[in-house]
Amino acid sequence: MSERLEEIKEAIAHQLGLTNDWMDGTYLYYLTRSKSAFSVGTMTLDDFTEIDEELLEEIFNAIKPYFIELAERVEELEEERDEWKDTAQSYYMTNQELRERNKRYKQALEEINRLGWDSESFGGGYNFEGEIHAQAIKIAYEALEGSE
């Protein structure tokens, strides 16, 4: 954060003409007394002071708390974003798992549906209803347990 604050301070210094890349021959001044002196006619050049590093520090120290507050809020929002990102990732993984499970269930149901429902499918000598039921149960359990 301090690096960013220095960048802000440097930008202000630049705008005030306190950096080496400012136009040559340009000076900025600030008024040191009340503006009402203009209307009275008592204003002189002595009422102006060239902008210097001291004024830069005063300006910067006045606005610095707001930048710090903003930076802290940005950090809070980034943490919150990361939490939401983790939540979204978790939901994505759960969704993927549910899709895979649904795919297994669908395959199991299709396999159960393909089971023969007549006694000839089991050679005639079996209790075909019991055998089909047992196979259907086995297929369903395999799907539930995640077996392919």
Side-chain angles (χ1 to χ4, degrees):
M1 181 167 31
S2 63
E3 185 177 308
R4 186 70 176 140
L5 289 172
E6 283 302 314
E7 291 173 7
I8 293 168
K9 185 176 180 181
E10 183 65 24
I12 294 169
H14 172 73
Q15 292 302 314
L16 295 176
L18 298 174
T19 58
N20 292 333
D21 55 346
W22 191 254
M23 296 178 277
D24 287 340
T26 303
Y27 297 94
L28 295 176
Y29 292 85
Y30 68 98
L31 180 62
T32 58
R33 62 185 279 207
S34 173
K35 290 181 182 180
S36 63
F38 278 114
S39 61
V40 179
T42 59
M43 188 73 63
T44 68
L45 285 177
D46 292 335
D47 295 321
F48 293 88
T49 301
E50 186 176 350
I51 292 178
D52 58 8
E53 293 289 329
E54 186 177 327
L55 179 64
L56 171 64
E57 286 297 322
E58 288 177 32
I59 293 170
F60 185 69
N61 288 333
I63 62 174
K64 186 177 178 179
Y66 300 105
F67 287 114
I68 291 172
E69 185 179 324
L70 288 174
E72 289 170 352
R73 182 65 180 136
V74 166
E75 286 178 12
E76 289 172 12
L77 291 172
E78 287 174 342
E79 288 174 12
E80 193 173 314
R81 178 205 59 202
D82 291 344
E83 289 173 12
W84 280 108
K85 204 174 176 182
D86 291 345
T87 300
Q89 180 67 23
S90 174
Y91 285 148
Y92 175 80
M93 295 304 291
T94 300
N95 189 34
Q96 290 299 103
E97 291 169 9
L98 290 173
R99 285 178 190 265
E100 289 298 317
R101 185 184 307 168
N102 285 343
K103 182 179 173 184
R104 288 193 313 269
Y105 290 168
K106 182 179 178 186
Q107 290 171 343
L109 290 173
E110 289 171 356
E111 193 173 331
I112 290 170
N113 192 42
R114 284 192 299 269
L115 289 175
W117 291 100
D118 59 8
S119 61
E120 293 176 15
S121 298
F122 297 99
Y126 291 108
N127 174 357
F128 72 95
E129 287 180 9
E131 185 67 27
I132 289 174
H133 179 76
Q135 285 184 12
I137 295 291
K138 180 181 174 209
I139 292 168
Y141 273 114
E142 287 175 356
L144 285 171
E145 294 171 0
S147 301
E148 296 292 326

